């Protein structure tokens, strides 16, 4: 890309999916944080995670809002092209949900187990996730397994873009889905389904979306990678600083080019609710805990890939997965955090990852 003048900000094309956890990128552009750091974000809403992946790999996008596990799926070449990617920082923790049909929710209310309720259906249960190696697939698979359901053979699993899931549930094409908010909220508000578990309830503080780019971009344009990281980190901090900021974000996200749902519906997922348990709600900063890129997270996600046989069992050479240090750009993050006066939390793995989730 070229700029008209020496002092013009460097334009960067950044993709996002219509989800609440894309808020830091939209906030950064609305507040002008990007231009304060010498870049201009050109944001592009994507129709699906597969489309976002394709445009990131082709170079049409410089960076993208991405599921952390999806980045590692691309890195390992599971079910698609393999490419070298980099994670600049985390964008949020929590904020996803598993939603089921009214009929299935009613069966659970009557005291049936998930396993028995699914077996009572007149045909094989159908659930949807958003990308085969994405976090939503992992949260869904783990939740089902803990209910005595083998997601690899007891149900049918489809891949759908998040905005299509509530309608598919309403039309009886699905029995449930796992997606980021506001799509569980949308299903409830329209009567299409009911959330049975929010991800933060099951896995408090779990990592979720990241700001990702190609490895060559991070390596060959370190100043731009640093600017991107700093801009996103500042926006994450702003979102967690005051509930009024989140209300403003809900208004921005309601625009058709962002998410395009009513402000009140978006605010339901963004603003604190009565009864929220600390650590379970959607977090964008959490004193930096939500943002630091941790290679230990990657090791955990790779364990899950092996758990579901998407990757072969680990060999002795795989034990440490040393290549993850090239994916998680902790040095760039430390520079950005230093510029903003944000402390870098200790620890290589997010506290929200359950070490027993390999049963």
């Amino acid at each position: 890309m070229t700029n008209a003048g020496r002092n013009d900000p460097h334009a960067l094309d950044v993709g996002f999916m219509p989800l609440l956890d894309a808020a830091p990128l939209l906030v950064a552009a609305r507040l002008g944080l990007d231009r304060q750091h010498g870049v201009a974000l050109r944001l592009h809403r994507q129709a699906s995670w597969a489309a976002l992946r394709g445009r990131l790999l082709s170079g049409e996008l410089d960076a993208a809002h991405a599921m952390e596990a999806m980045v590692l799926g691309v890195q390992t070449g599971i079910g698609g092209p393999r490419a070298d990617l980099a994670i600049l920082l985390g964008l949020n923790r929590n904020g996803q949900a598993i939603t089921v049909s009214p009929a299935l929710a009613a069966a659970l209310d009557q005291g049936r187990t998930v396993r028995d309720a699914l077996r009572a259906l007149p045909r094989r249960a159908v659930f949807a996730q958003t990308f085969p190696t994405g976090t939503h697939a992992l949260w869904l698979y783990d939740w089902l397994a803990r209910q005595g359901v083998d997601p690899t053979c007891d149900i049918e699993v489809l891949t759908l873009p998040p905005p299509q899931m509530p309608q598919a549930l309403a039309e009886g094409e699905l029995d449930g889905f796992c997606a980021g908010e506001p799509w569980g909220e949308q299903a409830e508000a329209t009567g299409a389904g009911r959330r049975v578990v929010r991800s933060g309830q099951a896995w408090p503080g779990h990592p979720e979306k990241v700001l990702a780019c190609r490895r060559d971009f991070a390596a060959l344009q370190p100043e731009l990678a640093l600017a991107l990281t700093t801009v996103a980190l500042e926006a994450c901090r702003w979102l967690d600083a005051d509930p009024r900021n989140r209300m403003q974000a809900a208004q921005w996200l309601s625009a058709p080019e962002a998410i395009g749902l009513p402000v009140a519906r978006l605010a339901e997922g963004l603003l604190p609710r009565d009864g929220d348990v600390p650590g379970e709600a959607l977090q964008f900063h959490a004193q930096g805990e939500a943002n630091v890129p941790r290679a230990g997270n990657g090791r955990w996600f790779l364990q899950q890939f092996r758990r579901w046989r998407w990757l072969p069992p680990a060999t002795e050479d795989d034990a440490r997965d040393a290549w993850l240090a090239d994916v998680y750009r902790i040095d760039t993050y430390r520079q950005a955090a230093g510029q903003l006066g944000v402390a870098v939390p200790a620890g290589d793995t997010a506290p929200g990852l359950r070490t027993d989730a390999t049963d």
Side-chain angles (χ1 to χ4, degrees), residues 133-208:
T133 59
T135 46
H136 302 124
L138 295 179
W139 308 143
L140 177 64
Y141 277 35
D142 184 66
W143 179 76
L144 287 168
R146 291 175 183 281
Q147 315 304 315
V149 178
D150 186 337
T152 66
C153 61
D154 291 343
I155 64 168
E156 182 179 353
V157 180
L158 305 180
T159 300
L160 284 178
Q164 296 180 20
M165 290 181 170
Q167 187 63 32
L169 194 62
E171 294 177 355
E173 298 173 6
L174 301 176
D175 297 293
F177 66 80
C178 183
E181 296 291 12
W183 302 108
E185 174 67 30
Q186 173 73 354
E188 285 196 359
T190 58
R194 196 175 80 202
R195 288 169 289 189
V196 290
V197 63
R198 291 179 173 86
S199 60
Q201 295 171 320
W203 309 276
H206 70 79
E208 184 53 43

Side-chain angles (χ1 to χ4, degrees), residues 86-311:
I87 290 173
L88 299 176
L89 82 164
L91 294 175
N92 72 294
R93 303 197 302 186
N94 307 324
Q96 325 301 304
I98 295 172
T99 305
V100 301
S101 68
L104 186 52
L108 299 180
D109 286 343
Q110 293 167 5
R112 289 192 181 185
T113 65
V114 172
R115 181 181 181 182
D116 289 344
L118 294 182
R119 286 181 171 180
L121 293 174
R123 39 98 186 119
R124 197 178 186 202
V126 181
F127 280 77
Q129 41 72 29
T130 63
F131 191 83
T133 59
T135 46
H136 302 124
L138 295 179
W139 308 143
L140 177 64
Y141 277 35
D142 184 66
W143 179 76
L144 287 168
R146 291 175 183 281
Q147 315 304 315
V149 178
D150 186 337
T152 66
C153 61
D154 291 343
I155 64 168
E156 182 179 353
V157 180
L158 305 180
T159 300
L160 284 178
Q164 296 180 20
M165 290 181 170
Q167 187 63 32
L169 194 62
E171 294 177 355
E173 298 173 6
L174 301 176
D175 297 293
F177 66 80
C178 183
E181 296 291 12
W183 302 108
E185 174 67 30
Q186 173 73 354
E188 285 196 359
T190 58
R194 196 175 80 202
R195 288 169 289 189
V196 290
V197 63
R198 291 179 173 86
S199 60
Q201 295 171 320
W203 309 276
H206 70 79
E208 184 53 43
K209 302 303 189 301
V210 297
L211 182 59
C213 63
R214 296 179 309 283
R215 190 89 53 81
D216 58 357
F217 175 88
L220 299 177
Q221 303 192 72
E223 297 86 0
L224 292 179
L226 175 59
L228 259 178
T229 306
T230 308
V231 166
L233 179 57
E234 190 167 2
C236 288
R237 184 173 63 178
W238 183 87
L239 280 160
D240 271 11
D242 191 317
R244 290 173 295 184
N245 293 349
R246 292 202 181 196
M247 191 65 217
Q248 176 64 75
Q251 294 172 7
W252 290 334
L253 290 167
S254 69
E257 66 273 16
I259 295 179
L261 290 180
V263 172
R265 198 156 299 163
L266 301 178
E268 282 291 322
L270 284 170
L271 297 177
R273 294 184 298 265
D274 291 341
D276 275 350
V277 176
E280 293 184 0
L282 176 60
Q283 301 172 339
F284 292 103
H285 184 54
Q287 289 75 52
E289 286 286 357
N291 308 125
V292 60
R294 291 179 163 108
N297 291 356
R299 285 189 287 274
W300 186 88
F301 283 121
L302 292 175
Q303 289 173 4
Q304 298 306 294
F305 291 177
R306 292 167 181 138
R307 175 189 184 185
W308 301 116
R309 297 182 290 281
W310 302 340
L311 285 178

